[in-house]
Amino acid sequence: MGQADEHRRQDADRVVRPLVTLDLFSALIDSRTGGGTALSRLARERSWSVTGEAVYSAWDSTNKELQRQCRTWVPFRELSEQALAATYRDLGLPGDPAEDTERLLASVADWPLWPDVAEGLPVLASGSRVGVLSNVDDDIFARTRVAPLVADGAVLTSERLRSYKPSPALYHEAARRAGRGYVHVATSARDVRGALDAGISTIRLRRPGHRVDPDGPVPPFEAADLAETAALLPQLR
């Protein structure tokens, strides 16, 4: 097949099979368990006075705030290091933020998928192109257990879009690239609100530990798992 034929095939696929993206670190991966486990190893090594799960919660919250404030894109890795440095400072913990950030981000290869993901993604893919919309660097995404399950062309990272959730710019650029029929599946409060505020067709996928923003718009569609998500897609299109 020539290059022109391949481009025509890809264009036809976009028309026939609209894109549905899912958030990486809440809809697909149990990041709290994965990140908390990695930081628990550090806590044991160094006899920290706080648990690894508590350190993860503080780091994750600070990281999200740095992403929210980010106006000129910088790599996710850099924001993660800044967040870990602030967390160590606030909690009075010893450690090298640069080295420990590398250890934490290397551990994403072990962060677990939610139980329905391995079987649920092929169900979604039977009627849609399935991808990811995530605040992450490309090389970090490539380490995850999700990477082998989706096509690279359907992956929309903050590195590729040059912005971070919950900025409307990220959602608008994602929709522009996705084309007609685009749907995003979000779980975290900021992702659900960000997508809805940007006018994106959105399904909220319920996961443990995540709630809807009480001050944000009410998601019109909610699903308990990926099979239910697939059943809802025709209603959005």
Side-chain angles (χ1 to χ4, degrees):
M1 179 183 291
Q3 187 176 25
D5 291 333
E6 175 62 16
H7 287 165
R8 282 193 290 270
R9 186 197 65 76
Q10 292 176 358
D11 290 342
D13 192 44
R14 291 190 185 97
V15 173
V16 175
R17 291 162 49 82
L19 179 65
V20 53
T21 58
L22 299 97
D23 181 67
L24 178 65
F25 289 128
S26 56
L28 295 174
I29 289 177
D30 181 359
S31 57
R32 183 167 298 277
T33 294
T37 298
L39 289 169
S40 290
R41 286 193 288 269
L42 285 175
R44 289 192 296 272
E45 289 174 16
R46 297 169 186 174
S47 300
W48 285 349
S49 59
V50 294
T51 65
E53 290 79 6
V55 178
Y56 175 83
S57 293
W59 169 78
D60 184 55
S61 177
T62 303
N63 203 9
K64 285 183 169 64
E65 179 60 22
L66 291 174
Q67 293 164 13
R68 188 189 69 80
Q69 295 175 6
C70 188
R71 296 294 178 264
T72 301
W73 182 84
V74 296
F76 175 86
R77 177 177 277 98
E78 291 186 19
L79 296 183
S80 295
E81 182 180 333
Q82 292 174 31
L84 194 59
T87 299
Y88 282 0
R89 183 177 61 251
D90 293 344
L91 297 178
L93 299 177
D96 184 320
E99 291 183 5
D100 293 349
T101 296
E102 288 304 315
R103 287 185 61 175
L104 176 61
L105 297 182
S107 77
V108 300
D110 301 320
W111 293 12
L113 302 174
W114 290 108
D116 62 314
V117 170
E119 293 184 0
L121 281 183
V123 175
L124 278 177
S126 64
S128 305
R129 291 184 298 129
V130 175
V132 167
L133 178 65
S134 176
N135 284 357
V136 74
D137 296 340
D138 286 357
D139 67 315
I140 297 171
F141 171 74
R143 300 172 183 173
T144 70
R145 296 179 179 182
V146 173
L149 305 179
V150 297
D152 182 72
V155 174
L156 301 174
T157 65
S158 54
E159 180 175 356
R160 299 182 185 190
L161 302 180
R162 315 307 283 186
S163 57
Y164 283 100
K165 300 174 184 177
S167 169
L170 178 135
Y171 297 102
H172 293 156
E173 179 61 15
R176 186 191 71 79
R177 296 191 185 199
R180 186 175 300 175
Y182 174 51
V183 174
H184 181 50
V185 180
T187 290
S188 67
R190 68 166 183 167
D191 197 20
V192 172
R193 179 169 186 169
L196 289 173
D197 283 347
I200 304 297
S201 295
T202 305
I203 296 174
R204 178 186 176 241
L205 177 58
R206 297 190 295 273
R207 296 297 195 196
H210 292 279
R211 301 177 180 178
V212 174
D213 186 340
D215 298 321
V218 177
F221 297 93
E222 292 198 11
D225 54 28
L226 292 184
E228 190 172 326
T229 299
L232 285 172
L233 284 174
Q235 298 183 49
L236 277 77
R237 292 170 174 162

